[in-house]
Amino acid sequence: MNEVNKTLYIPLYGKSKVSRQGIILNDPSAERIWKEEAFPIRGKSKSKWLAYNMAMRARVFDDWTESMLQQSRDALVVHIGCGLDSRHMRVKTPRSEWVDCDLPDVIEIRKKYFQENETYHMVALDASRPEQIELLPDCDTAIVVLEGLSMYLTNSQVQGLFQALDKKYRELHILMDVYTEFGVKASKYKNPVNDVGVTKLYGIDAIGSIIDGLRIRFVKEHSFTPAALVKELMPIERIFFKLLFTGKLYRKIYRLYELKA
């Protein structure tokens, strides 16, 4: 696997750790896969604070996907850059079809742990090649999950991905996390992905410039760390966690955008 693909083990570790503790995220699949894969992460990647943050991010994406499905039961769910995530199992709301997408090496590993069925499929897809969006099923409405993806794509590649999605689906609901340009600069010194060899990341300061000329519109910005989830930590941990992952400085580095068309 290349360096970008290896970053999937960082959130996998975080979700498995938190799930074992019985807080924030119930993810027995992450526990099992982490144990079997035994990928050697080190340094900041094994920080319990990062584990809490990764689990909260996953939970926010889960809850948003649940809410979108409750509004559009016939929608197609597309998770691009899925890694070894088990969101399709954690989200309990019925759906017509769910497609998890990632690069071929990742999909090959996923197939060791997850089985396709009538409503769940896995597709090898390169998000930097927008023409591959045509590999996805046709549907009127698509709920698109872009978690931990945009920072590995240039702004023009993100724009190309949005153009392809905008063209293929009549109605779109998108949730996407992004680094800011400041966040990219800061990440050269403090980003856990450095521990697996990633040295090049990309940031987005003006989401409007990415969706300019498309039907896609900005809806709102979400929090990665809702108060209700932070409260699941031990009282002394909440204090330190809030210093690291909440407030103006964190938002200056990292954003979570909801979009729709």
Side-chain angles (χ1 to χ4, degrees):
M1 298 176 72
N2 64 29
E3 286 76 12
V4 171
N5 286 350
K6 290 175 184 176
T7 63
L8 65 85
Y9 290 107
I10 298 172
L12 178 67
Y13 170 76
K15 286 177 280 193
S16 67
K17 178 179 175 63
V18 166
S19 182
R20 289 195 305 272
Q21 291 178 237
I23 58 173
I24 303 170
L25 196 72
N26 179 31
D27 197 343
S29 290
E31 296 179 47
R32 177 173 62 91
I33 296 170
W34 175 255
K35 184 177 180 180
E36 293 187 22
E37 287 293 306
F39 184 82
I41 64 172
R42 62 186 187 277
K44 295 180 290 293
S45 300
K46 295 195 75 171
S47 160
K48 72 174 181 178
W49 309 110
L50 181 64
Y52 294 155
N53 191 41
M54 292 289 95
M56 286 188 195
R57 182 182 77 173
R59 176 68 181 274
V60 169
F61 272 90
D62 287 0
D63 291 348
W64 176 83
T65 306
E66 292 267 17
S67 68
M68 291 298 104
L69 278 170
Q70 287 167 8
Q71 296 174 37
S72 304
R73 294 293 180 94
D74 294 331
L76 165 71
V77 180
V78 180
H79 186 177
I80 302 177
C82 60
L84 295 177
D85 187 79
S86 61
R87 177 162 294 116
H88 71 284
M89 299 173 70
R90 296 194 305 268
V91 170
K92 304 302 184 184
T93 302
R95 77 296 304 259
S96 60
E97 188 170 8
W98 186 302
V99 179
D100 277 337
C101 310
D102 213 311
L103 295 169
D105 286 350
V106 178
I107 294 299
E108 184 178 347
I109 296 176
R110 279 192 71 85
K111 289 184 175 180
K112 290 167 51 181
Y113 299 106
F114 302 109
Q115 301 296 319
E116 294 182 301
N117 56 41
E118 291 181 357
T119 61
Y120 175 68
H121 300 93
M122 291 175 275
V123 173
L125 182 148
D126 184 344
S128 69
R129 298 177 60 187
E131 69 275 10
Q132 293 191 0
I133 292 299
E134 284 304 313
L135 297 172
L136 298 175
D138 294 324
C139 189
D140 283 342
T141 303
I143 298 167
V144 181
V145 175
L146 303 175
E147 181 184 10
L149 175 69
S150 70
M151 56 286 301
Y152 304 111
L153 302 174
T154 66
N155 284 13
S156 62
Q157 287 171 335
V158 174
Q159 192 169 40
L161 175 63
F162 280 174
Q163 287 172 342
L165 290 167
D166 193 28
K167 180 180 178 181
K168 186 168 181 66
Y169 298 109
R170 182 183 61 80
E171 184 177 342
L172 276 169
H173 300 277
I174 301 170
L175 192 62
M176 175 180 71
D177 57 331
V178 306
Y179 283 144
T180 63
E181 291 289 350
F182 174 79
V184 167
K185 292 176 182 177
S187 74
K188 293 179 180 179
Y189 309 100
K190 293 186 177 294
N191 199 313
V193 301
N194 302 150
D195 296 331
V196 292
V198 173
T199 57
K200 184 65 175 175
L201 298 170
Y202 303 92
I204 296 173
D205 276 345
I207 190 65
S209 65
I210 302 295
I211 58 178
D212 185 44
L214 304 178
R215 294 182 304 119
I216 298 172
R217 296 291 179 265
F218 171 78
V219 177
K220 64 179 179 180
E221 186 173 338
H222 290 256
S223 170
F224 290 101
T225 54
L229 298 183
V230 176
K231 284 182 180 179
E232 294 194 32
L233 304 179
M234 297 291 289
I236 191 66
E237 291 180 327
R238 292 176 208 159
I239 298 171
F240 194 69
F241 183 84
K242 287 179 180 179
L243 290 174
L244 287 173
F245 295 109
T246 63
K248 292 181 180 179
L249 178 59
Y250 189 60
R251 186 174 175 272
K252 190 176 179 181
I253 294 171
Y254 203 23
R255 303 284 184 86
L256 181 58
Y257 294 130
E258 180 179 350
L259 310 164
K260 79 173 189 177

